[in-house]
């Protein structure tokens, strides 16, 4: 495969790879920028929602052509952007909440762009793995089974004992084995988990990662209980927000230690073709995690708006205010809060300000609409 390295740029590989993959072709000049479709992916028709403008221009829309088969993948970016795995809840004898999650490691081929398959290693058959969500102070029990072909683990970014760390000798298990991680959910914030088997970069870029969010317990933060309640899933205050989970990832499709496809939540251009609905009057909160391997930095830029940012989500007051761009290295993460309340309705773009990543799939749209009556 040296000719790939020497002869073809990565952008060339994307279109070349598409042309070569099972008859899928790319013809950018005829592709209109993804129109918002309201077709059963959680988006009902909205009065007054205009079709997307055609930005194709002289250089085309720079987009993949066609659709990824979400049913075959077993996950759909338009659904998992709002999906939380909250586990099974019970009470311990001391009155504390025990929250139990079940996670399996599985080998699985997934389609990351139309016609481009990737031999992933997954948690629960999806990439990213389930977005685990707990409340500060919960006792967490994660029952992890390795049904894959290689040794794997779950290494949580959080506070726990050495023997629960998911590194070799501490919860890293062979195929067919099971391990139970147990620790207290702390600190509150926007965290992640990933496999910590060696070689680490292989186990991460193959797809073994997911978001791990711990909501603050309002009772522990009396000075900012209102803010804490707005972050706590299930409260009326939290229901007033539109929350999304976004894992920025990328795929090395020819195993040359460089990425060919970039995305948020795995599928290139998924949110260009199906913009994420935002009701204009409701504030937006994004739990953003970067897991991209091989590239030292990633970023998130919001168009026509600014946001407040909570680095790692571990504070109840913003660590950055009124910014339209933040950068993240691998495993860096945080919470973005913003509103389009005073904007016109329409399509607002978001993407990293590494233009190459954008052209290779990591770009999306918010479809800001009036509230549906
Ligand atoms: Cu692994």
């Amino acid at each position: 495969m040296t000719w790939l390295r020497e002869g073809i740029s990565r952008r060339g590989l994307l279109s070349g790879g598409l042309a070569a993959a099972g008859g899928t072709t790319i013809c950018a000049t005829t592709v209109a920028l993804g129109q918002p479709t309201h077709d059963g992916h959680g988006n009902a028709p909205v009065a007054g929602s205009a079709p997307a403008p055609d930005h194709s221009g002289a250089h085309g829309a720079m987009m993949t052509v066609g659709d990824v088969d979400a049913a075959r993948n077993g996950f759909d970016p338009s659904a998992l952007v709002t999906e939380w795995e909250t586990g099974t809840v019970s009470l311990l004898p001391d009155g504390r909440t025990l929250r139990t999650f079940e996670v399996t490691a599985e080998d699985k081929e997934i389609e990351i762009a139309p016609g481009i398959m990737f031999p992933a290693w997954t948690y629960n058959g999806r990439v990213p793995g389930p977005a685990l969500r707990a409340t500060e102070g919960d006792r967490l029990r994660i029952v992890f089974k390795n049904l894959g072909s290689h040794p794997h683990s779950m290494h949580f970014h959080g506070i726990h004992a050495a023997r629960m760390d998911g590194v070799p000798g501490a919860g890293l298990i062979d195929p067919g084995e099971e391990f139970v991680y147990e620790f207290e959910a702390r600190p509150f914030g926007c965290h992640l988990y990933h496999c910590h088997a060696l070689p680490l970069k292989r186990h991460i870029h193959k797809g073994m990662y997911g978001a791990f969010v711990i909501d603050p317990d309002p009772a522990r933060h009396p000075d900012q209980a209102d803010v804490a309640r707005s972050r706590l899933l299930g409260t009326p205050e939290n229901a007033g927000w539109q929350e999304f989970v976004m894992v920025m990832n990328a795929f090395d499709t020819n195993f040359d230690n460089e990425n060919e496809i970039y995305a948020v939540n795995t599928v290139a251009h998924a949110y260009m073709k199906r913009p994420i609905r935002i009701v204009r009057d409701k504030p937006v909160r994004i739990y953003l995690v970067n897991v991209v391997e091989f590239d030292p930095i990633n970023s998130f830029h919001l168009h026509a708006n600014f946001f407040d940012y909570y680095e790692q989500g571990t504070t109840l007051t913003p660590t950055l205010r009124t910014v339209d761009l933040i950068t993240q290295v691998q495993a860096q993460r945080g919470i973005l809060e913003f509103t389009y309340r005073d904007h016109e309705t329409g399509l607002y773009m978001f993407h990293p300000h590494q233009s190459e990543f954008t052209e290779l799939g990591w770009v999306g749209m918010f479809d800001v609409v009036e509230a549906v009556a």
Side-chain angles (χ1 to χ4, degrees), residues 78-118:
S78 294
L80 63 75
V81 73
T82 55
E83 258 175 30
W84 298 100
E85 173 58 58
T86 54
T88 304
V89 171
S90 59
L91 275 188
L92 291 166
D94 65 2
R96 279 193 306 162
T97 296
L98 171 67
R99 196 179 291 271
T100 303
F101 298 99
E102 294 191 1
V103 179
T104 57
E106 304 163 35
D107 297 5
K108 185 172 179 179
E109 260 192 21
I110 60 170
E111 191 179 10
I112 56 172
I116 298 186
M117 305 302 292
F118 181 78

Side-chain angles (χ1 to χ4, degrees), residues 121 123 151-153 195-197 203 208:
W121 297 341
Y123 292 114
H152 295 301
S153 75
C195 181
H196 220 298
H203 282 256
M208 305 205 76

Side-chain angles (χ1 to χ4, degrees), residues 34-57:
Q35 295 201 350
T37 54
H38 305 296
D39 59 355
H41 292 268
N43 291 337
V46 175
S49 156
D54 183 350
H55 295 164
S56 9

Side-chain angles (χ1 to χ4, degrees), residues 7-29:
I8 298 186
S9 72
R10 284 192 278 168
R11 195 190 309 164
L13 181 70
L14 176 61
S15 48
L18 282 165
T24 309
T25 55
I26 193 161
C27 184
T29 51

Side-chain angles (χ1 to χ4, degrees), residues 192-215:
L192 72 156
Y193 62 90
H194 60 85
C195 181
H196 220 298
L198 299 175
L200 186 57
K201 67 181 177 182
R202 168 59 59 91
H203 282 256
I204 290 182
H205 93 79
K206 288 279 271 183
M208 305 205 76
Y209 43 74
F212 171 45
V213 170
I214 301 175
D215 293 334

Side-chain angles (χ1 to χ4, degrees), residues 85-278:
E85 173 58 58
T86 54
T88 304
V89 171
S90 59
L91 275 188
L92 291 166
D94 65 2
R96 279 193 306 162
T97 296
L98 171 67
R99 196 179 291 271
T100 303
F101 298 99
E102 294 191 1
V103 179
T104 57
E106 304 163 35
D107 297 5
K108 185 172 179 179
E109 260 192 21
I110 60 170
E111 191 179 10
I112 56 172
I116 298 186
M117 305 302 292
F118 181 78
W121 297 341
T122 74
Y123 292 114
N124 287 1
R126 45 171 279 178
V127 179
L132 306 182
R133 191 151 174 181
T135 303
E136 183 182 13
D138 288 350
R139 189 73 184 168
L140 301 184
R141 188 173 286 168
I142 301 102
V143 181
F144 176 56
K145 293 188 178 79
N146 185 357
L147 306 182
S149 57
H150 289 71
H152 295 301
S153 75
M154 294 181 78
H155 165 70
F156 287 84
H157 286 236
I159 297 172
H160 48 250
R163 64 199 156 79
M164 295 293 158
D165 202 35
V167 296
L172 195 153
I173 56 173
D174 284 328
E177 292 185 342
E178 177 180 315
F179 188 86
V180 180
Y181 304 94
E182 193 166 320
F183 49 89
E184 188 179 317
R186 65 193 170 106
F188 74 83
C190 174
H191 307 307
L192 72 156
Y193 62 90
H194 60 85
C195 181
H196 220 298
L198 299 175
L200 186 57
K201 67 181 177 182
R202 168 59 59 91
H203 282 256
I204 290 182
H205 93 79
K206 288 279 271 183
M208 305 205 76
Y209 43 74
F212 171 45
V213 170
I214 301 175
D215 293 334
D217 174 4
R220 298 184 185 207
H221 310 280
D223 294 348
Q224 293 174 285
D226 289 350
V227 180
R229 260 194 300 278
S230 91
R231 295 255 291 260
L232 178 57
L233 191 66
T235 63
E237 292 87 346
N238 180 262
W241 288 74
Q242 301 171 96
E243 293 192 330
F244 304 109
V245 57
M246 295 190 182
V247 177
M248 301 190 287
N249 54 358
F251 298 90
D252 172 13
T253 57
N254 59 350
F255 307 103
D256 65 348
N257 291 341
E258 284 196 74
N259 295 307
E260 282 71 43
I261 299 283
Y262 292 81
V264 59
N265 295 341
T266 298
V267 176
H269 296 136
Y271 304 122
M272 289 297 283
K273 295 171 183 174
R274 256 175 226 105
I276 297 172
R277 167 82 55 83
I278 287 179

Side-chain angles (χ1 to χ4, degrees), residues 339-354:
T339 174
Y340 278 94
R341 186 184 54 225
D342 299 324
H343 281 66
E344 296 174 17
T345 57
L347 290 166
Y348 293 92
M349 186 177 275
F350 59 97
H351 64 91
H353 235 297
Q354 285 78 9

